[in-house]
């Protein structure tokens, strides 16, 4: 029977057109072996997730300044070779700098050097040269992936400490345009840092760290609660819960960045520390039991066998309370309000989820460390350039001394002189003025002596006889007020107080407290008057 | 008042206080208000400050003028010291005037807030025999009486034909000396008009004169119709008329005029900067007048807080002319800890714990005197009471002698009225409440109210 070629699918499958390869100035490039279009990369051997066997362990360490307890790095158990070519190309093209080139789009499901045309390669080189110098030109997603693969596969050419920062900067600068980067770099960067014992570049990732956390399987690597101190814990809580990023504030400029970076985290630390003392839900807590997870490095990336690793991580996962997000978000906004006030920026966030007590904590921090910069609080500079000091209350505080009954007694005794000083009598006794010399008339009451006048006035006062008092005053060419005033003067000397007052402002009355004293006084005057007469 | 003979053994005979004053004093202290009379008997410490202010009165009596700023924190005893010196000034033969500044009463204002201060001062004019204020009519009465007496000594009585002429002559002689001062002419006319109304028995005219002197006329037209004078006392000129009043009281036999302004922190609180500076400018003018001899016989004491004085943005120090006159010099700043009671500013520090204990001791003695019994409280219990007061949260900053005395007198009252009660029963069971007033808000859980959080 003749061979049935009906089922020969090669006759019906689409032939892939091989791109043109030229060897120009890149004469050093090796001959590029072509690969049949039908050839697909070998699938990665399926491997159950398990801890790195001791035999394969290359490195074991306890990372510093992370929430991870232990990291074990192991060799990849089964060898493969399908990315060796990529590695070769990457090494050869590592220093390729073609100069300025025109942008050309590039797409591939698994970007590799051999898939690019010459112009694409030139643009890639130009773009990479600028990237390495901190300039982020227009690019395509596949160029970015290619570069990432390069970094992951060439630790011997690009030192990891630099590789971490380049990956992080790349991510920071292109993630807006290519959001898919979050999904991959969240894992690949973590793997890269763990493999090469590099710290997480939080300073670069900080503006979008919160967005990373939901995308990563190992958020404990990214969380800043590394030192276990209040600042780290607070920062972690903010990263986990705040939906507002103060680092993206339009008021955070080159000039103001320092204030933002210094005071907002510090204020949040103060806030969360105090709130944590009141309610444990505000504390960053970790699970009591450690867990161990294994991960394959660089999943989905082009990675040569020699760079592929198995990673085993032991850690205690972070636990947070749900529902904190609106509070912490508003707290961050309130902190930014404090910084804005200090900068003299009028615009403020409206915060609605903070209670009065919570707001007070934040206000207290800023009042102490960064008061509003307004004419009200600006330092006052004198014409000679010196600054007028604030109120110095130390001069008004009470002296610190031990309580002593004896000392108190001495103070009380010595203070009696004050009472004597303030209650001193006049040296000249106040007496009523002697009656003027005048021609006696039947209408006038005869009275030759001051004592007699006092006696009669006191009698009228005792009896409440205001008319009598008035007539007596007139007989002495005195106003009633003056006569009573003189009685009061005498009473002040004798008794220490006045004896008559005008409760209604018009009529003089005896003060009842002194009725007895007045009676006694009258008796004494009567006796002395009688004795004189005798 | 019987003076003590230096026998410290018999405490009660050492301090003999007229019963009415003692009752009024204890009632004021129990109510937590500054006593208007008898304050001298509970003056503890402050000897240097009192001597300094007493010295000011002596100088004023000799014809000098003066102005002092009494600065202290809340509860340091400024108002008490002002009342103390007010009573002492009256004893010394001064006429006193006192007033608490407020948002409605300032040194300077456009809507009558300046003259409101003057009105309050004149309303509170007081003398030794009229210590509670309202002394203006009796001042004038006394003056006219004295003139009559002088004339009577010369044989000129109201029945004599030339009595009115002679009396008018004396009055003119007195007021002529004032006509040379600002506002003196109209002031003199009103005084003359008052004398005339008094002799004629014209109560309405007398009342109009008193109204004018008290600054109660708000329009010149009204004043002209009533008294035929062309000016009134208003926001701009009230201090000039206060100086005239001072000259008048000196002329009629008093030593001078002692003016006490408290709560000057209300000037610091004026929100509008221009308005606040106008007040400070007026204060500067008053300060200069007092110290440059343009107000002989007048001494002024102003009570305020450290912020009122030293705040560089809103206080007196924010006004350069005042700051240069009132701020400590370079050497004084280096000599912190030393007192300088000759400077315009007297700083009152808060009472020490031993001074507070001495105050409690004094009040115990006075209480026993008033109720004619020995209070049932031991030395140790007094200390325990004080320590309990001082241990309360915030006591360091907020507790005042006023609060302590109020509570102490309550304890004594309870012990007096309940013979079976012991000190520990009353004081021992009291939970410490935060100092600064019983109505101070305490932090509760609601203060940090959290929404329901999902865990």
């Amino acid at each position: 029977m003749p061979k049935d070629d009906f089922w020969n699918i090669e006759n019906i499958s689409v032939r892939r057109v091989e791109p043109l390869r030229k060897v120009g100035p890149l004469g050093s490039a090796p001959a590029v072996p072509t690969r049949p279009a039908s050839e697909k990369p070998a699938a990665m051997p399926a491997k159950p997730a398990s801890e790195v066997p001791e035999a394969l362990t290359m490195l074991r360490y306890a990372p510093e300044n992370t929430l991870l307890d232990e990291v074990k790095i192991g060799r990849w158990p089964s060898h493969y070779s399908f990315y060796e070519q990529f590695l070769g190309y990457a090494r050869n093209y590592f220093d390729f700098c073609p100069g300025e080139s025109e942008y050309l789009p590039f797409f591939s499901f698994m970007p590799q050097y051999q898939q690019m045309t010459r112009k694409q390669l030139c643009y890639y080189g130009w773009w990479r040269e600028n990237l390495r110098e901190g300039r982020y030109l227009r690019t395509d997603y596949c160029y970015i992936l290619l570069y990432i693969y390069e970094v992951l596969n060439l630790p011997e050419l690009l030192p990891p400490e630099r590789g971490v920062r380049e990956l992080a900067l790349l991510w920071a600068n292109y993630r807006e345009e290519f959001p898919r980067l979050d999904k991959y770099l969240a894992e690949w960067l973590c793997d890269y840092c763990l493999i090469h014992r590099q710290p997480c570049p939080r300073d670069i990732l900080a503006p979008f760290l919160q967005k990373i956390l939901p995308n990563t399987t190992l958020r404990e690597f990214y969380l800043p609660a590394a030192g276990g101190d209040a600042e780290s814990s607070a920062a972690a809580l903010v990263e986990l819960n705040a939906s507002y990023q103060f680092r993206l504030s339009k008021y955070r400029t080159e000039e103001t960045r320092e204030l933002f970076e210094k005071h907002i985290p510090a204020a949040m630390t103060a806030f969360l520390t105090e709130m944590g003392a009141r309610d444990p839900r505000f504390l960053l807590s970790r699970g009591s039991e450690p867990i161990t997870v294994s991960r394959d490095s660089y999943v989905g990336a082009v990675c040569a066998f020699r760079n592929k690793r198995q990673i085993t991580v032991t850690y205690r996962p972070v636990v947070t309370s749900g529902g904190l997000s609106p509070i912490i978000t508003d707290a961050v906004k309130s902190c930014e309000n404090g910084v804005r006030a200090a900068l003299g920026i009028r615009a403020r966030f409206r915060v609605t989820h903070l209670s009065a007590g919570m707001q007070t904590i934040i206000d207290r921090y800023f009042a102490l460390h960064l008061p509003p910069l307004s004419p009200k609080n600006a330092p006052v500079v004198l014409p000679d350039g010196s600054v007028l000091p604030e109120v110095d209350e130390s001069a008004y505080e009470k002296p610190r001394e031990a309580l002593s009954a004896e000392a108190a007694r001495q103070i009380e005794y010595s203070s009696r002189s004050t009472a004597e000083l303030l209650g001193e009598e006049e040296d000249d006794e106040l007496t009523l003025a002697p009656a003027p010399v005048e021609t006696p008339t039947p209408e006038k009451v005869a009275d030759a002596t001051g004592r007699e006048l006092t006696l009669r006035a006191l009698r009228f006062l005792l009896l409440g006889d205001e008319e009598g008092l008035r007539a007596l005053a007139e007989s002495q060419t005195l106003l009633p007020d003056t006569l009573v005033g003189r009685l009061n003067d005498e009473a002040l000397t004798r008794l220490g107080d006045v004896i008559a007052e005008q409760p209604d402002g018009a009529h003089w009355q005896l003060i009842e407290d002194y009725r007895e004293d007045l009676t006694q006084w009258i008796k004494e005057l009567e006796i002395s008057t009688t004795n004189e007469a005798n | 008042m019987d003076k003590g003979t230096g026998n410290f053994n018999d405490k009660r005979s050492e301090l003999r206080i007229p019963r009415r004053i003692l009752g009024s004093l204890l009632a004021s202290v129990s109510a937590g208000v500054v006593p208007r009379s008898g304050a001298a008997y509970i003056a503890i410490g402050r000897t240097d400050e009192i001597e300094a202010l007493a010295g000011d009165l002596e100088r004023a009596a000799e014809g000098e003028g003066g102005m002092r700023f009494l600065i202290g924190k809340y509860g340091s005893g400024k108002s008490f010291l002002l009342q103390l010196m007010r009573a002492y000034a009256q004893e010394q033969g001064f006429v006193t005037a006192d007033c608490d500044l407020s948002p409605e009463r300032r040194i300077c204002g456009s809507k009558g807030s300046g003259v409101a201060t003057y009105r309050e001062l004149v309303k509170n004019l007081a003398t030794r025999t009229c210590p509670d204020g309202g002394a203006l009519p009796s001042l004038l009465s006394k003056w006219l009486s004295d003139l009559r007496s002088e004339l009577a000594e010369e044989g000129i009585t109201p029945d004599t034909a030339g009595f009115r002429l002679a009396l008018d002559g004396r009055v003119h002689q007195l007021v002529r000396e004032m006509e040379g001062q600002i506002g003196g002419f109209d002031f003199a006319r009103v005084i003359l008009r008052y004398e005339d109304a008094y002799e004629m028995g014209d109560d309405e005219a007398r009342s109009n004169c008193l109204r004018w002197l008290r600054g109660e006329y708000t329009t010149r037209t009204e004043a002209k119709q009533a008294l035929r004078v062309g000016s009134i006392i208003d926001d701009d000129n009230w201090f000039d008329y206060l100086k005239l009043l001072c000259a008048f009281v000196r002329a009629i036999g008093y030593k001078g005029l002692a003016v006490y302004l408290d709560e000057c922190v209300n000037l610091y609180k004026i929100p509008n900067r221009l308005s606040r500076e106008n007040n400070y400018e007026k204060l500067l003018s008053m300060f200069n007048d007092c110290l440059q001899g343009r107000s002989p016989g007048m001494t002024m004491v102003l009570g305020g807080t450290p912020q009122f004085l030293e705040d560089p943005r809103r206080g007196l120090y924010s006004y350069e002319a005042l700051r240069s006159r009132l701020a400590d010099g370079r050497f004084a700043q280096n000599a912190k800890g030393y007192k300088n009671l000759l400077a315009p500013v007297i700083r009152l520090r808060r009472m020490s714990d031993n001074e507070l204990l001495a105050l409690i001791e004094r009040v115990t003695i006075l209480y026993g005197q008033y109720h004619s019994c020995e209070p049932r409280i031991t030395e140790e219990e007094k200390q325990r009471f004080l320590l309990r007061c001082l241990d309360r949260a915030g006591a360091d900053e907020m507790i005042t002698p006023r609060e302590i005395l109020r509570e102490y007198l309550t304890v004594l009252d309870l012990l007096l009225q309940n013979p079976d009660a012991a000190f520990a029963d009353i004081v021992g069971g009291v939970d410490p409440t935060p100092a600064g007033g019983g109505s101070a808000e305490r932090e509760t859980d609601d203060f940090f109210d959290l929404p329901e959080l999902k865990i």
Side-chain angles (χ1 to χ4, degrees), chain B residues 311-324:
Chain B
D311 189 296
R313 293 165 205 90
R314 298 171 65 96
L316 293 184
Y317 281 12
S318 67
Y319 196 73
E320 176 59 25
L322 279 171
R323 190 195 64 78
S324 61

Side-chain angles (χ1 to χ4, degrees), chain A residues 302-361:
Chain A
V302 171
C303 179
F305 166 75
R306 66 191 66 192
N307 294 310
K308 188 79 172 174
R309 298 286 182 267
Q310 260 189 315
I311 304 171
T312 304
V313 181
T314 305
Y315 66 99
R316 284 183 297 136
V318 164
V319 178
T320 61
S321 300
L324 278 180
S325 179
I327 296 173
I328 292 185
T329 302
D330 271 7
V332 174
K333 288 182 179 177
S334 181
C335 292
E336 182 167 331
N337 284 346
V339 176
R340 289 187 190 184
L343 292 169
I345 297 168
R346 283 174 166 254
R348 299 279 192 278
F349 282 117
R350 191 162 163 265
V351 294
T352 55
H353 291 94
L354 299 182
S355 68
M358 293 174 184
Q359 188 63 60
T360 299
I361 300 171

Side-chain angles (χ1 to χ4, degrees), chain A residues 322-480:
Chain A
L324 278 180
S325 179
I327 296 173
I328 292 185
T329 302
D330 271 7
V332 174
K333 288 182 179 177
S334 181
C335 292
E336 182 167 331
N337 284 346
V339 176
R340 289 187 190 184
L343 292 169
I345 297 168
R346 283 174 166 254
R348 299 279 192 278
F349 282 117
R350 191 162 163 265
V351 294
T352 55
H353 291 94
L354 299 182
S355 68
M358 293 174 184
Q359 188 63 60
T360 299
I361 300 171
I362 296 173
D363 291 344
R364 195 190 310 142
Y365 172 88
F366 282 97
L368 200 59
H369 298 283
L370 195 67
L373 188 67
S374 67
K376 293 178 187 178
N377 289 83
V380 177
V381 180
L382 296 173
D384 63 1
S386 59
V387 174
L388 209 55
E390 300 294 327
V391 177
D392 177 14
E393 296 196 346
S394 60
Y396 305 96
E397 296 299 333
K398 68 175 178 182
R400 299 285 168 190
E401 56 191 31
L403 196 60
S404 158
E406 183 56 34
R409 210 170 294 123
Q410 287 300 323
I411 293 170
E412 195 272 323
Y413 280 152
S414 62
S415 298
R416 294 184 188 193
S417 61
T418 306
E420 287 175 18
L421 166 71
L422 297 176
E424 247 176 82
E425 299 170 22
E426 291 285 345
D427 285 339
D428 45 327
E429 274 193 314
L430 291 172
T431 57
L432 295 179
V437 174
E438 58 183 322
T439 308
T441 64
E443 292 78 21
K444 290 196 171 90
V445 179
D447 190 355
T449 65
R451 194 181 301 125
E452 182 67 22
L453 181 63
T454 306
L455 180 58
R456 299 182 75 154
L458 287 176
R459 282 179 183 149
F460 284 130
L461 190 61
L462 187 66
L463 295 170
D465 184 353
E466 200 175 350
E467 282 308 314
L469 205 61
R470 194 181 295 278
L472 181 61
E474 280 181 16
S475 73
Q476 304 301 312
T477 65
L478 293 172
L479 294 170

Side-chain angles (χ1 to χ4, degrees), chain B residues 28 284 438:
Chain B
S28 299
L284 172 68

Side-chain angles (χ1 to χ4, degrees), chain A residues 46-261:
Chain A
K47 183 177 60 62
S50 60
E51 201 166 329
V52 177
E54 281 307 314
L56 294 176
T57 301
M58 297 168 69
L59 178 65
R60 184 202 299 259
Y61 67 96
E64 292 175 359
N65 297 322
T66 70
L67 290 172
L68 310 178
D69 297 325
E70 188 188 66
V71 173
K72 207 157 60 167
I73 307 296
R75 279 191 295 272
W76 191 251
S78 44
H79 184 268
Y80 61 91
S81 61
F82 38 81
Y83 287 136
E84 291 304 313
Q85 187 181 64
F86 170 81
L87 191 58
Y89 273 115
R91 286 191 185 123
N92 285 334
Y93 286 127
F94 185 77
D95 294 318
F96 174 53
C97 299
E100 188 169 350
S101 300
E102 198 179 319
Y103 164 76
L104 210 62
F106 170 49
F107 170 78
S108 168
F109 288 109
M110 207 68 159
Q112 295 184 63
Y113 294 94
Q114 58 269 40
Q115 296 162 352
M116 286 191 283
T117 65
R118 179 186 171 78
K119 283 187 179 175
Q120 285 168 332
L121 201 56
C122 287
Y123 183 72
Y124 173 74
W126 168 240
W127 172 79
R128 186 182 61 184
E129 183 185 336
N130 279 275
L131 184 143
R132 285 172 177 168
E133 290 172 7
R135 293 185 294 271
Y136 299 89
L137 306 182
R138 183 184 177 189
T139 189
D140 271 341
Y141 183 62
C142 290
Y143 287 131
I144 293 174
L145 284 179
L146 186 62
Y147 178 71
I148 293 172
Y149 301 154
E150 208 174 275
V151 173
L152 298 181
N153 283 279
L154 296 177
E156 69 277 14
L157 291 180
L158 184 65
E161 51 268 23
R162 192 180 146 199
V164 167
R165 301 206 61 83
E166 294 217 353
L167 286 177
L169 287 166
L170 173 90
W171 191 3
N173 282 278
Y174 285 114
R175 60 178 295 276
E176 292 282 337
E177 192 180 348
F178 304 107
R180 287 177 287 172
L181 281 173
D182 282 356
K183 179 183 163 193
Y184 292 109
L185 274 175
E187 301 302 324
W188 295 344
L189 183 62
C190 174
D191 295 339
Y192 188 81
C193 291
L194 290 176
I195 290 168
H196 299 292
R197 292 189 77 167
Q198 295 299 312
C200 173
R202 282 193 207 99
D203 55 323
I204 302 172
L205 305 180
F208 55 94
L209 187 63
Q210 209 178 52
K211 296 200 168 108
I212 296 170
L213 293 175
N215 292 323
T216 181
T217 56
L218 190 63
R219 65 181 185 177
E220 281 72 9
F221 168 75
Y222 287 101
L223 282 177
D229 53 10
E231 288 79 13
S232 303
S233 300
L237 274 173
V238 171
E239 297 303 342
L240 286 169
N241 292 286
S243 55
Y244 170 71
Q245 294 291 319
F246 73 88
R247 291 184 176 93
L248 301 178
S249 170
K250 65 179 177 183
Y251 298 107
R252 183 178 173 270
T253 61
E254 279 301 315
E255 291 81 23
T256 64
R257 180 166 44 186
E258 194 182 332
L259 278 179
F260 273 79
E261 292 299 333

Side-chain angles (χ1 to χ4, degrees), chain A residues 237-304:
Chain A
L237 274 173
V238 171
E239 297 303 342
L240 286 169
N241 292 286
S243 55
Y244 170 71
Q245 294 291 319
F246 73 88
R247 291 184 176 93
L248 301 178
S249 170
K250 65 179 177 183
Y251 298 107
R252 183 178 173 270
T253 61
E254 279 301 315
E255 291 81 23
T256 64
R257 180 166 44 186
E258 194 182 332
L259 278 179
F260 273 79
E261 292 299 333
K262 181 181 174 187
H263 289 288
I264 294 181
M268 285 304 297
T269 301
F271 171 74
L272 288 169
T273 302
E274 190 161 339
M275 290 308 301
R278 294 171 190 280
D279 188 320
R281 288 174 290 182
F282 281 84
L283 294 173
L284 185 73
S285 56
R286 299 172 65 185
S288 55
E289 292 298 320
I291 62 173
T292 301
V293 295
S294 289
R295 49 195 285 131
D296 302 337
S297 69
Y298 310 137
V299 170
V302 171
C303 179

Side-chain angles (χ1 to χ4, degrees), chain A residues 322 376 390 397 482 497, chain B residues 20 73 145 313 362 450 454:
Chain A
K376 293 178 187 178
E390 300 294 327
E397 296 299 333
T482 311
D497 194 12
Chain B
R20 189 185 79 125
K73 292 177 85 168
S145 276
R313 293 165 205 90
R362 176 67 62 81
L450 302 173
K454 300 190 292 291

